[in-house]
Amino acid sequence: LMWIGEKITEHGIGNGISLIIFCGIVARFPQAISTVIDYLQVGTISPFQLLLFFVIALAMILMVIEINEGQRRISIQYAKRVIGRRMYGGHSTYLPLKVNQAGVIPIIFASSILMLPVTLAQFVHIGWVQAVGNFFGWGTWPNTICYGILIFIFTYFYTAISVNIKELADNMKKYGGFIPGIRPGEPTMMYIDRVLSRITLTGAVFLAFIAILPNFIGNITGIQGVYFGGTSLLIIVGVALDTMRQAQSYMVTRNYQGFIK
């Protein structure tokens, strides 16, 4: 699968590994739809509960798209420089800071840590270990609270290690760029750090909400056994948007080599 994914990345459209994961998640949709239809036929749920489930699912998809594509654009102005007889610079651009800079990584980190006591309880048959495993079982209140807190922490942690603010400020200063009203160097770095911290707060709250919400969907709608998870939703939306964006870039540049051949 890794080899096929690399070949898709090299000769196709989109990231091959992400597309394989995408297909694995989407392949479970028919079974989920069949389960919902069975619930409706048996009378376990009412048409209103089914409608409520689809409204919540649609709202989650729209929210993920909105936050995933959300950016805070910081204006950057480049000073004019005369080298020889030519003039360089003098144009303006922007620095895009994504609201959800960490993506799905914080959810994966948090779920991996919370699965540790449950996994140990399956192999170690000791009373207190079993009690801790049951206490942090999936769907319990301690698990849900710790899940949200860990996602919040890992969102800031991953954003801090993935965005090198000092390097951004140094490169901007090196090429004559500056933020209007902010001096180059240390003040620019502090300004970018302050803006990034504020929008990361929104991204962290969003990730925690999306990850925790599936635990309550079953209780709200009465549809059990159909997991509409935040992790799966983030992967599906992210891969679909990235693949669509790359396909559009190929169409604009009329670069069709590789995928057709």
Side-chain angles (χ1 to χ4, degrees):
L1 284 177
M2 293 289 289
W3 179 80
I4 293 174
E6 293 296 331
K7 288 299 179 181
I8 294 174
T9 304
E10 183 179 355
H11 300 289
I13 294 178
N15 185 278
I17 303 298
S18 299
L19 285 173
I20 292 175
I21 298 174
F22 174 88
C23 293
I25 296 172
V26 174
R28 298 199 298 264
F29 282 3
Q31 182 180 357
I33 295 173
S34 176
T35 304
V36 173
I37 293 175
D38 291 340
Y39 282 159
L40 192 61
Q41 290 177 346
V42 174
T44 306
I45 61 173
S46 63
F48 174 76
Q49 290 176 310
L50 179 61
L51 178 62
L52 181 61
F53 176 81
F54 281 110
V55 168
I56 294 175
L58 181 61
M60 288 179 64
I61 293 172
L62 293 177
M63 186 186 301
V64 168
I65 294 174
E66 186 70 22
I67 299 296
N68 196 56
E69 295 297 296
Q71 294 179 350
R72 169 67 162 88
R73 296 181 175 183
I74 299 177
S75 299
I76 299 176
Q77 185 73 34
Y78 284 91
K80 294 182 179 180
R81 295 181 300 171
V82 179
I83 302 178
R85 296 184 178 181
R86 294 187 177 183
M87 180 177 294
Y88 296 90
H91 63 280
S92 60
T93 182
Y94 61 86
L95 175 65
L97 297 177
K98 296 187 66 175
V99 176
N100 184 20
Q101 186 71 39
V104 75
I105 300 299
I107 297 179
I108 296 175
F109 283 177
S111 60
S112 300
I113 290 178
L114 289 177
M115 283 298 294
L116 181 61
V118 180
T119 305
L120 289 176
Q122 295 176 354
F123 296 98
V124 181
H125 300 286
I126 302 177
W128 67 271
V129 176
Q130 296 287 327
V132 171
N134 295 330
F135 185 75
F136 286 101
W138 185 258
T140 61
W141 282 104
N143 178 276
T144 303
I145 294 173
C146 293
Y147 196 29
I149 294 174
L150 287 175
I151 290 173
F152 197 89
I153 294 173
F154 281 126
T155 301
Y156 273 94
F157 173 75
Y158 189 79
T159 302
I161 63 175
S162 62
V163 181
N164 193 334
I165 299 176
K166 187 177 186 304
E167 184 178 354
L168 286 175
D170 291 342
N171 289 337
M172 199 182 303
K173 182 179 180 181
K174 178 180 178 181
Y175 293 104
F178 62 93
I179 301 173
I182 307 296
R183 297 184 61 182
E186 187 74 18
T188 298
M189 185 178 67
M190 294 177 61
Y191 176 77
I192 296 175
D193 181 64
R194 185 167 63 252
V195 172
L196 187 62
S197 298
R198 290 178 177 177
I199 64 174
T200 302
L201 175 63
T202 304
V205 173
F206 157 75
L207 286 177
F209 176 76
I210 287 294
I212 292 174
L213 184 60
N215 295 340
F216 302 98
I217 290 180
N219 298 328
I220 295 173
T221 62
I223 299 177
Q224 304 291 341
V226 177
Y227 182 72
F228 193 73
T231 309
S232 302
L233 188 59
L234 285 169
I235 293 173
I236 290 173
V237 172
V239 173
L241 291 175
D242 290 341
T243 305
M244 181 183 66
R245 195 177 296 114
Q246 187 172 348
Q248 288 178 344
S249 67
Y250 283 154
M251 293 174 65
V252 170
T253 58
R254 298 186 179 182
N255 182 11
Y256 305 122
Q257 184 178 1
F259 183 69
I260 294 180
K261 291 185 178 181

